[in-house]
Amino acid sequence: MRLFGVFSTFFLSALMVLSTAPVANTREAEALVIERAEIIAGRDGQTDRAYVTIWNGGESPVSIIDVSIAGYEDVRVVTAAETTRVKVTDAVLTIPAKSELLMRPSTVYFEMRRTNPLTVNASVEIKIEFDNKRNMIIATSPKTQGTFTDHHHRREG
């Protein structure tokens, strides 16, 4: 009987650990928000660009490990200052805790090649994978050149 009591105490303790762990992860995941996503069409055969704003309100930094965009291939991270183009899987895009990643034409953005003809105002899904095992999808519509809108997280209160 004593063995059953030890086993049941161990089992209940393990169950409590398992049931509380996802709560913390869920809170962290809920703190990660894609606030904005835009796709701007390139001119005359140039590659298109995507800009996102992601708020990380969590207690830990998160990194983007992959990005896929419906209707596009060869998504790369471009840093405007260095004019480097790197595959997303080879880039380091870390969003510190309580901070945001704000992509702009003058800083950093995604560049990609269309696999289908451009349909302005059609819905396109952008899937972003993070190192915390979270995947997020946001829909946006491709826009013509020169229509970039600036947006970033503003603290309230």
Side-chain angles (χ1 to χ4, degrees):
M1 188 65 151
R2 181 168 166 81
L3 181 59
F4 178 76
V6 171
F7 176 77
S8 63
T9 303
F10 173 78
F11 180 75
L12 288 174
S13 298
L15 203 67
M16 285 176 47
V17 169
L18 290 175
S19 65
T20 58
V23 173
N25 291 339
T26 302
R27 286 189 192 128
E28 283 287 313
E30 288 172 357
L32 194 60
V33 178
I34 300 175
E35 295 182 337
R36 174 189 61 93
E38 274 186 285
I39 295 175
I40 307 294
R43 293 186 186 154
D44 302 323
Q46 292 180 343
T47 54
D48 292 358
R49 294 179 177 184
Y51 304 93
V52 296
T53 301
I54 302 172
W55 171 251
N56 177 12
E59 300 297 324
S60 304
V62 295
S63 295
I64 295 173
I65 59 171
D66 202 5
V67 174
S68 58
I69 303 173
Y72 290 90
E73 64 184 6
D74 197 28
V75 179
R76 295 188 177 258
V77 175
V78 178
T79 54
E82 299 172 15
T83 61
T84 57
R85 288 164 173 75
V86 180
K87 288 183 179 183
V88 176
T89 54
D90 296 334
V92 177
L93 277 176
T94 299
I95 309 165
K98 308 290 186 205
S99 299
E100 72 180 0
L101 168 65
L102 174 60
M103 291 187 166
R104 295 181 176 175
S106 61
T107 58
V108 64
Y109 52 88
F110 298 122
E111 183 179 78
M112 61 276 182
R113 286 194 315 256
R114 267 183 244 141
T115 57
N116 300 313
L118 178 68
T119 306
V120 176
N121 296 326
S123 182
V124 173
E125 286 188 348
I126 299 174
K127 179 181 178 184
I128 301 176
E129 297 179 44
F130 299 91
D131 64 349
N132 66 355
K133 308 286 187 230
R134 178 106 192 255
N135 296 329
M136 299 181 81
I137 297 174
I138 187 166
T140 188
S141 300
K143 299 177 182 176
T144 58
Q145 195 70 19
T147 57
F148 174 79
T149 53
D150 193 6
H151 170 80
H152 63 93
H153 186 82
R154 301 193 194 302
R155 287 188 184 225
E156 295 179 23

